[in-house]
Amino acid sequence: MTTPLFRNFERIVFFTGAGLSAESGIPTFRGKGGVWSQYDYKEYACQEAFERDPEKVWDFLDVRRGAVGKCEPNAGHRVIAEVQKAKPATAIVTQNVDGLHARAGGRDVIELHGSLWRVRCDRERVVRKDASVSMGSRKCSCGEYLRPDIVWFGDMLDERVVRRAIKALESADLIVSVGTSGVVYPAADLPRIAVRGGATSVEINLEDTPVSEMFEYRLRGPASEWLAKMNA
Ligand code: BV8
């Protein structure tokens, strides 16, 4: 089976996870050295933890913002942005909160799980960008703690964001899943919408995942290498 090439498709959806940013030096979540193997998400990445000890959660996020702030998008991010420029109907649907797609030139990135670089006040119902490392005041002018605009475990995803993702997946002629373990829901099930719609389906990962069975092409190896090969 010859590897599908981007030039033969028009409505491409890139569905990305932490494995894409691994080559930029950002630790993934699972596996050796993964974030969740060092930090218990019940202590650092859920609403209960935030209400229990917001300073502790912000200390954790400042560490991540500091680490991600020092990283650069890699060749994989750049190929995706390049393909989107050449094929304007291309959509980027990511579980990553690191903002590297946009820094690589990606447009209208659909961030399913939010962003490290946005904060919100749930009392004032305001969301704003904040790229300061480390974070300035952790409180809103109303006195309430600012909450990172990240979707934590147990949080519902933003319906508007999910609707944008579904719209892109429904009209896709190629779906490329890149560097995701496919274990977190509802995100892990989204590529199935494009597969059901008859799109050619590709999974790029170092190894098999629990959702590999849904993909026609299972390309094993580093994301940046396979993305470059498909961009020939
Ligand atoms: C919700 C932001 C309604 C946080 C994240 C159905 C069944 C079971 C459980 C559930 C279910 N529905 C809901 C749940 C509960 C839960 C869930 O899925 N739990 C899992 C753990 C079983 N889901 C939720 O809570 C979601 N909300 O459903 O609300 C609800 C509420 C309550 C109860 C029911 C329903 C919200 C989930 C969002 C959580 N937030 N991130 C933060 O960043 O701090 S999830 C986080 O992990 C990521 O965003 C991503 O989504 C997810 C998975 O990470 P990956 O990106 O895939 O990274 P990972 O490290 O796992 O894997 C990396 C992969 O890359 C590996 O496969 C590796 O081989 C590969 N790789 C590595 N290097 C490379 C590479 N590949 C290529 N090249 C390389 N160089």
Side-chain angles (χ1 to χ4, degrees), residues 16-23 27-31 34-36 41 44-45 60-61 64 94-97 112-114 116 150-157 178-187 204-209 221-224:
T16 68
L20 174 64
S21 296
E23 296 167 51
T28 61
F29 288 92
R30 286 161 189 78
V35 174
W36 302 144
Y41 74 79
Y44 296 98
F60 166 64
L61 283 160
R64 288 181 69 192
T94 190
Q95 299 166 81
N96 298 344
V97 296
L112 293 172
H113 293 158
L116 269 174
I150 288 177
V151 178
W152 282 325
F153 288 97
D155 291 350
M156 301 297 278
L157 278 61
V178 187
T180 180
S181 58
V183 297
V184 170
Y185 287 78
I204 297 174
N205 198 302
L206 299 177
E207 61 192 20
D208 284 355
T209 71
S224 62

Side-chain angles (χ1 to χ4, degrees), residues 81-108:
E82 209 180 294
V83 171
Q84 190 183 44
K85 279 198 186 63
K87 311 259 178 181
T90 295
I92 303 170
V93 178
T94 190
Q95 299 166 81
N96 298 344
V97 296
D98 57 34
L100 291 186
H101 277 300
R103 282 176 55 197
R107 175 179 38 77
D108 306 330

Side-chain angles (χ1 to χ4, degrees), residues 2-211:
T2 56
T3 305
L5 301 177
F6 297 134
R7 60 182 153 84
N8 300 325
F9 298 88
E10 292 307 323
R11 298 181 309 286
I12 303 168
V13 175
F14 291 99
F15 180 78
T16 68
L20 174 64
S21 296
E23 296 167 51
S24 294
I26 298 178
T28 61
F29 288 92
R30 286 161 189 78
K32 205 160 49 41
V35 174
W36 302 144
S37 62
Q38 294 165 52
Y39 295 91
D40 175 355
Y41 74 79
K42 291 191 206 61
E43 292 296 314
Y44 296 98
C46 63
Q47 185 63 23
E48 293 73 30
F50 183 68
E51 284 160 13
R52 200 172 40 239
D53 189 343
E55 291 292 332
K56 179 178 171 183
V57 169
W58 268 118
D59 290 346
F60 166 64
L61 283 160
D62 266 345
V63 170
R64 288 181 69 192
R65 286 159 65 107
V68 170
K70 292 195 190 78
C71 296
E72 293 300 324
N74 61 59
H77 294 106
R78 290 193 291 276
V79 165
I80 291 174
E82 209 180 294
V83 171
Q84 190 183 44
K85 279 198 186 63
K87 311 259 178 181
T90 295
I92 303 170
V93 178
T94 190
Q95 299 166 81
N96 298 344
V97 296
D98 57 34
L100 291 186
H101 277 300
R103 282 176 55 197
R107 175 179 38 77
D108 306 330
V109 180
I110 300 173
E111 298 177 308
L112 293 172
H113 293 158
S115 171
L116 269 174
W117 309 111
R118 280 195 308 272
V119 296
R120 65 181 202 236
C121 173
D122 287 342
R123 180 192 290 170
E124 308 273 298
R125 296 192 165 297
V126 290
V127 181
R128 66 172 167 78
K129 283 202 171 107
D130 186 298
S132 60
V133 173
S134 60
M135 179 71 183
S137 164
R138 292 173 172 183
K139 288 193 173 176
C140 173
S141 52
C142 74
E144 189 79 9
Y145 265 100
L146 288 167
R147 189 190 177 298
D149 191 30
I150 288 177
V151 178
W152 282 325
F153 288 97
D155 291 350
M156 301 297 278
L157 278 61
D158 181 326
E159 267 182 65
R160 294 161 299 181
V161 174
V162 174
R163 253 202 307 278
R164 284 178 58 208
I166 291 172
K167 192 161 171 295
L169 289 158
E170 281 170 342
S171 64
D173 57 3
L174 174 66
I175 169 77
V176 187
S177 171
V178 187
T180 180
S181 58
V183 297
V184 170
Y185 287 78
D189 224 22
L190 287 175
R192 207 176 290 281
I193 295 169
V195 174
R196 287 210 188 99
T200 298
S201 57
V202 176
E203 182 191 50
I204 297 174
N205 198 302
L206 299 177
E207 61 192 20
D208 284 355
T209 71
V211 291

